[in-house]
Amino acid sequence: MGIDRKRMKLFGWGWTDTIYDHKGRDEAFYEQLSRTLEVDCTRVTMPPIPVENIELPPSKLDETDVAMLEAVVGERVTAHDAFERLAHAYGKSLHDLVRIRQGVVEAIPDAVVYPVTASEVASLIELARQRNWSLVPFGGGSSVVGGVEASDTDGRPVVTLDTTRLEGLVSIDLQSRTATFGAGTYGPAIEGELNPLGWSLGHYPQSFEFSTLGGWIAARSAGQQSNQYGRIEDLLVSCRMVSPAGELVTWDGPASAAGPDLKSFVTGSEGTLGVITEATVVIHPLAPYHRIQAVMFKNFEQGKDAVREIVQAGHKPSFMRLSDEGETSFYLDLTGTEGVKGLGLDVLAAMGYGKSKSVLLIGTEGEPKTVRREVAECIAICRRHKGLNLGTSPAKNWLHDRFHHPYLRDDLLDRGIATETLETSVTWDRILPMTHAVKKAIRQTLADSGRKGIVMAHLSHSYAVGSCVYFIFMYPLDASDPVGQWWPIKKAASDALARHGGTISHHHGVGLDHRDWMEGEKGALGISTLRSLQRHFDPDGVMNPGKLVHPQ
C-alpha cells in the first residue's frame, strides 16, 4: 500500500538506507571539488540536526476537530505524530532541505489525513470549508518549488490531504490503449501493474520512484522519454478532480472542438482548484528493445544545432540530453579519467574535443529494426555537426545511475555544498544567449558574496520550436544564513532567464518559489484569469493557498 514514509529520509532524498555510490572515487571527487570551489569539502561539516531536537508547535486542532476528521477517514488521521507532521511539512527543494536540516520549521500541518475514496475527499474539503481550515494536497512530496508547504494561511489550521491511498489500477481498455489509476499511485506501482500485461505508461521523471500520477498532472510533469511519448498532459485522456465547488469530470474521448479543453484547468493547477482523485492515461506496448548512445561535440553550440535538426526533421528519439562543457566536465570528475579513459581524452583533445566539449546522450525504444534505424539516422545528423560517436558504454553508465543522482545532493549538503536546479524552455534562437546570461548571473551573485560556484546546463525535452534548458549549480553554503544566501542567487538566475524569453518553469511547476515571475510571463489579464478560476472552484480559499499566484 503506497510507500512507508518512515523508510524515507526527512532530511534528504529517497530511502533512508540508500546513499550515493561513488564507486570508490569519493575521495578523489571531493578533493577535486575542494580545489574548484576553494573550500574544504572532503569531510562532513554540516550534518542535519537530530530529529528529536526539532521543536514543533502544537497542533491548532482541538479534540473536536480531530473527532470530525476521524468521522470522515477513521484512524487514517494524525494530529500529534511529530514524524507525520514533519514528513508533510516540506517538499525536496534546496530551500526546503536547508531549513529542515537546521531544524527550522516555518510551516507545518496541524493534521495529516489519508482518504481512500473521492467521497472522503469531498467530505474533507467540505469540512475544511466549514471549519475555515487550509487544505494542502500532498502526493509523493517531491516538489522542488515549494508546492506543498503550508503558507499564506492567515493563521488558519492546516490539514494536509495525503493522496497516496487513492491508488491502484482502476480499469484498463486495451482496445483504446488507456488505463485508469487512482491519482495517488506512485510511478513504480503504475509500471508494476502495466508491465506484466505487456504495457507501459512510459513516463519517467527523475522523481519517478517517489512521485504520483496526480502530482505529475498537478505540476505538468515531463518524463525522461517525453520526446517519444509526450509530457503528462499529452498522456492524459481524462481526469476527476474534487473541488469545493463540486467534482469536475473531464470528457474521455480522443478529441473535441466543444469549447476549451477542461483538462487544461486541471493540469498545472497545483492543488489550488481541488484534489485530483483519478486519471485515465494513454498506455503503450512495452518496448522489446532500447538503445542509447553517446555523441561528443566540440562545443555546446554544435550539439544544440544537431538536436534542433533531429527534432525538426521529425525524429522522435525517446531520450536526448545534451550536456554543456560544465556538465560534461563535472561528470568526468565524478566518474574519473584515469588510465585508458584519460589517455582517450588526451587524444580527443588533440582532435579538437577539448575543454569546450559537449556530450549528447541519445536513444530510443521499440521494435529492434525501428530503433536501430532511428538511432542511426540521428547519429548521421550528429556527424554533420562534427559529432563523434562514443558508443553505448558512457550512456549506459549514466542511465544506470539516473535515479540515484539526487542522493549526491544529500552527500554534498553534509559537506556544506549546496546543489540547486532551475529549468526553463525557450526558442532555439534564444538558447545560447539565455544560457550565457543565467550562468553569468549565478556566478556574479556568488562572486559578490566571495564564493565560487560550479554552473552547468543541459538540453532535454526538445521540440521543433525550442528546448528545455536545465541548470544545475553548486556553491559553498553560508551556514549562518543558507536561505538568505539562496534567494538572491535564485532571483538573479530567474530574472535572467525571464529577460531572455524563457518560461519560469518547464516541468517543475510554480509553487511558492516561482510565483514572483508569473505575471511577467502570463500578463496581468492572465493572472486575473487564474485568480478568477481559483475563486470559482474554491470561493473560500481553502485549497493550497498561495501557490501559483500571490494571494490578494
Side-chain angles (χ1 to χ4, degrees), residues 3-14:
I3 287 178
D4 179 2
R5 292 200 188 277
K6 291 188 177 180
R7 292 181 56 215
M8 295 176 63
K9 296 176 186 175
L10 277 176
F11 302 111
W13 182 261

Side-chain angles (χ1 to χ4, degrees), residues 393-457:
S393 294
K396 285 181 179 178
N397 292 338
W398 182 90
L399 194 62
H400 179 267
D401 291 339
R402 164 126 171 90
F403 293 128
H404 286 154
H405 289 156
Y407 289 98
L408 177 60
R409 180 177 61 167
D410 302 338
D411 200 359
L412 288 162
L413 279 172
D414 288 343
R415 298 161 186 266
I417 305 300
T419 306
E420 178 62 306
T421 63
L422 186 73
E423 40 78 47
T424 184
S425 70
V426 72
T427 55
W428 288 110
D429 62 311
R430 296 173 178 171
I431 285 177
L432 294 181
M434 187 219 45
T435 302
H436 174 75
V438 171
K439 290 180 181 179
K440 182 178 178 181
I442 294 170
R443 291 189 178 112
Q444 185 59 58
T445 308
L446 285 169
D448 290 344
S449 63
R451 285 174 168 80
K452 287 194 171 184
I454 295 173
V455 188
M456 42 193 165

Side-chain angles (χ1 to χ4, degrees), residues 78-151:
T78 176
H80 306 295
D81 185 316
F83 179 88
E84 278 287 307
R85 294 177 69 200
L86 270 175
H88 291 84
Y90 292 131
K92 297 300 182 182
S93 70
L94 174 64
H95 183 210
D96 295 331
L97 294 183
V98 295
R99 287 182 292 171
I100 197 168
R101 287 169 66 95
Q102 292 190 332
V104 177
V105 184
E106 297 175 324
I108 191 166
D110 297 290
V112 180
V113 294
Y114 289 83
V116 297
T117 64
S119 62
E120 287 186 351
V121 172
S123 296
L124 289 168
I125 291 176
E126 177 59 20
L127 184 58
R129 190 191 65 78
Q130 291 176 1
R131 303 291 288 177
N132 194 30
W133 300 336
S134 293
L135 201 63
V136 178
F138 194 105
S142 61
S143 171
V144 291
V145 294
V148 295
E149 182 178 340
S151 66

Side-chain angles (χ1 to χ4, degrees), residues 178-289:
T178 65
T180 301
F181 288 91
T185 311
Y186 282 97
I190 291 174
E191 294 300 328
E193 292 278 9
L194 294 176
N195 292 174
L197 302 175
W199 298 86
S200 172
L201 176 61
H203 190 74
Y204 294 99
Q206 192 169 64
S207 63
F208 169 75
E209 296 171 290
F210 307 107
S211 54
T212 63
L213 175 59
W216 299 342
I217 295 166
R220 297 190 72 146
S221 169
Q224 173 183 296
Q225 300 185 119
S226 68
N227 278 19
Q228 183 170 351
Y229 297 122
R231 295 159 54 93
I232 194 62
E233 61 264 35
D234 302 313
L235 293 167
L236 181 63
V237 178
S238 64
C239 58
R240 291 175 174 265
M241 181 183 75
V242 178
S243 79
E247 184 179 39
L248 178 68
V249 181
T250 67
W251 185 63
D252 62 356
S256 171
D261 185 353
L262 297 182
K263 286 186 301 184
S264 63
F265 294 165
V266 181
T267 54
S269 60
E270 301 192 24
T272 61
L273 306 182
V275 180
I276 302 166
T277 59
E278 189 176 282
T280 299
V281 289
V282 177
I283 59 176
H284 311 276
L286 192 62
Y289 179 75

